[in-house]
Amino acid sequence: MNTQPEISIITPVFNTEKYLAQCIDSIIAQTFQNWELILVDDGSTDHSGAICDEYASRDHRIRVIHKTNSGVSDSRNIAIAQSRGTLLGFVDADDWIDPGMYSTLHRDLTANNADVAVCGYTFDWTNMNRPRHKDTSFFKILDRQEAIALTYEDKLIQSIFCDKLWRRELATAKMPEGRFYEDYATVIKWMASARRVTLNFTPLYHYRMRSGSTVNGVDPERRYHFLLAEIERAHFLQSIGITVSNGFTPRILHTAVTAAKLVARGCSDRNQAMSYIAKITDAIQPFLPADEGDLDRKTYSRLQKMLHHPSRFINAVRFSNLFLWSAKHKNKHLYP
C-alpha cells in the first residue's frame, strides 16, 4: 500500500459528474497497474466531489484533493507538487483512455530511454469517432531539436498534456493560472528539456467533443488567451536560442487574425467584440508592421482592416459567415 507508484496520473475535476465514472473506470482498467491517481476537485458544485471520494474509498491508489475553484492550471500545479511517481500522466475528467494506454507509453519510454512518450488519440462525438492521425501505425524516435520543432508546429505533436507520459523532472515550468490554453503555453517548455521523445500514433486516448469545451467554446476570452499562449511560446523559444525558418511573426499575426475573426463571428455583443479585438491588436504591437510577403493576401487584408478599421472588420467577417457551410461537420453531434 505504501509502495511508491511509478506513474502519477493527474485529473482535474470540475462539474463533470456525467462523465467522471467512465474516466476513472478507464484508469482503473489499465493493464499497467503501478500508478496513483490524483483527482483534484476544483470546487465542483455538482456530485463530482462525492464521486471522487467514493472511488478513493474503494481503491488505495486514488487520492482526492478538494479545493475552492481556481482553474485547471492551479489544479494541475497542486497535483504535480503532491505527486509521488517518477512519471507523470494527465487525463481530463470528461475523457477516457484505452486499457493499454499507459503500458504502451511506459514501454515506448523505457525501451527507448526517452523522456516523453506520445500516443495517438481519437475525437469522439456522440455518434461517431475519428482518429487524430490517419497512419495509426506510425512510430518514430525524435531527438530534442525534432521534438521542439514538431511541438511548435502543433501538428504531428500537439501541445496538450493528455496524450503523453512525462519524466517528472521535465515539469519545471508551472502552468499559467487564470488562463485558457495553459497546456498550449506550457507543453513546449517541458518538451524543450527532453533529450529523446517517442511518437506513436496508435489511438489510445479518447477526447470527448463537448459543446462547452475549450476547443468548441465561443468565449472571446478563450480566443484572446490562445493568442497570448502563442506569443508566450515564441518568447520562450527565443529565450533558449531556438529559431524557426520563417520567424515567429507570421504565425503570431495569423493567429491574431484568426482569433479576431472568431471573436467577431461568435460574440453577439458588438461592444464586447470591439473590446477583445482591441486587446488582440495591443498584444501584437511588438510584431508590427506586418510584411505583406509573410502572409497570404486574404490574411494580410484582414489584418489591415482589423488594425485600422475594426468596426468594418467585424461587419465583413460577420457577412462572410452567412455563406459558410461545412458539410463535414453537419453530422457530428457534440456531447452536452
Side-chain angles (χ1 to χ4, degrees):
M1 183 171 178
N2 294 321
T3 303
Q4 180 179 354
E6 191 162 2
I7 300 176
S8 292
I9 304 169
I10 294 169
T11 299
V13 179
F14 179 70
N15 291 352
T16 51
E17 62 179 2
K18 289 182 181 179
Y19 311 116
L20 185 55
Q22 183 182 12
C23 172
I24 300 174
D25 285 340
S26 73
I27 295 171
I28 293 173
Q30 290 298 292
T31 55
F32 186 93
Q33 289 285 295
N34 187 16
W35 50 260
E36 67 171 350
L37 171 60
I38 305 176
L39 299 166
V40 187
D41 173 27
D42 188 27
S44 297
T45 56
D46 63 2
H47 295 97
S48 295
I51 294 171
C52 292
D53 289 336
E54 179 186 355
Y55 273 94
S57 70
R58 291 192 268 129
D59 193 321
H60 71 271
R61 298 171 298 177
I62 300 175
R63 289 193 281 147
V64 183
I65 299 171
H66 295 283
K67 66 181 185 65
T68 57
N69 180 255
S70 58
V72 66
S73 291
D74 188 43
S75 296
R76 285 174 172 164
N77 288 335
I78 289 172
I80 291 169
Q82 297 192 28
S83 64
R84 298 182 297 131
T86 57
L87 304 171
L88 296 174
F90 299 85
V91 180
D92 289 345
D94 52 353
D95 298 334
W96 73 98
I97 58 179
D98 277 9
M101 175 170 153
Y102 281 115
S103 61
T104 299
L105 289 175
H106 184 269
R107 178 204 66 206
D108 289 350
L109 187 142
T110 55
N112 296 286
N113 192 28
D115 298 311
V116 188
V118 185
C119 69
Y121 60 93
T122 61
F123 296 108
D124 285 84
W125 292 267
T126 60
N127 63 328
M128 64 176 294
N129 60 66
R130 176 175 62 81
R132 172 68 177 80
H133 301 286
K134 291 183 180 179
D135 183 5
T136 57
S137 64
F138 180 90
F139 181 86
K140 188 175 183 180
I141 301 173
L142 309 172
D143 62 24
R144 176 178 179 267
Q145 186 173 351
E146 291 173 311
I148 292 174
L150 290 179
T151 304
Y152 180 71
E153 189 179 60
D154 201 50
K155 292 179 181 178
L156 292 184
I157 299 179
Q158 288 199 288
S159 294
I160 57 177
F161 284 107
C162 55
D163 62 345
K164 300 173 180 68
L165 185 63
W166 306 82
R167 292 198 188 275
R168 70 169 301 120
E169 56 264 30
L170 273 58
T172 54
K174 287 191 173 183
M175 301 177 205
E177 297 178 12
R179 292 225 319 250
F180 295 104
Y181 295 103
E182 73 293 332
D183 47 359
Y184 193 71
T186 309
V187 163
I188 200 162
K189 297 177 183 178
W190 290 16
M191 194 69 77
S193 298
R195 298 169 297 105
R196 184 176 297 173
V197 176
T198 62
L199 194 54
N200 182 344
F201 284 167
T202 304
L204 300 171
Y205 189 96
H206 293 267
Y207 185 73
R208 192 186 305 270
M209 302 300 288
R210 294 178 59 200
S211 57
S213 69
T214 297
V215 171
N216 293 301
V218 294
D219 182 355
E221 186 86 348
R222 294 177 178 178
R223 304 307 169 187
Y224 173 58
H225 285 180
F226 185 77
L227 172 62
L228 295 183
E230 189 70 82
I231 294 171
E232 184 175 337
R233 283 155 53 93
H235 285 162
F236 169 73
L237 291 181
Q238 288 174 320
S239 74
I240 61 172
I242 300 292
T243 59
V244 294
S245 58
N246 295 323
F248 298 105
T249 295
R251 185 184 181 103
I252 289 169
L253 294 181
H254 191 278
T255 300
V257 172
T258 300
K261 178 182 68 176
L262 292 171
V263 167
R265 286 177 178 166
C267 189
S268 58
D269 185 330
R270 188 179 184 88
N271 289 333
Q272 186 182 41
M274 288 287 290
S275 174
Y276 272 98
I277 289 173
K279 288 183 178 182
I280 290 168
T281 300
D282 287 343
I284 61 172
Q285 287 303 311
F287 305 94
L288 297 174
D291 185 343
E292 187 172 2
D294 288 338
L295 300 170
D296 63 85
R297 186 167 61 181
K298 186 175 183 179
T299 301
Y300 182 80
S301 175
R302 282 181 165 171
L303 173 65
Q304 297 307 312
K305 193 172 290 185
M306 180 187 81
L307 292 173
H308 304 297
H309 307 285
S311 184
R312 286 166 54 188
F313 172 84
I314 292 174
N315 291 341
V317 168
R318 288 183 175 179
F319 181 74
S320 67
N321 196 43
L322 296 175
F323 300 96
L324 289 178
W325 175 255
S326 183
K328 66 180 180 180
H329 294 306
K330 67 179 181 179
N331 295 319
K332 294 176 181 177
H333 305 308
L334 297 171
Y335 283 89

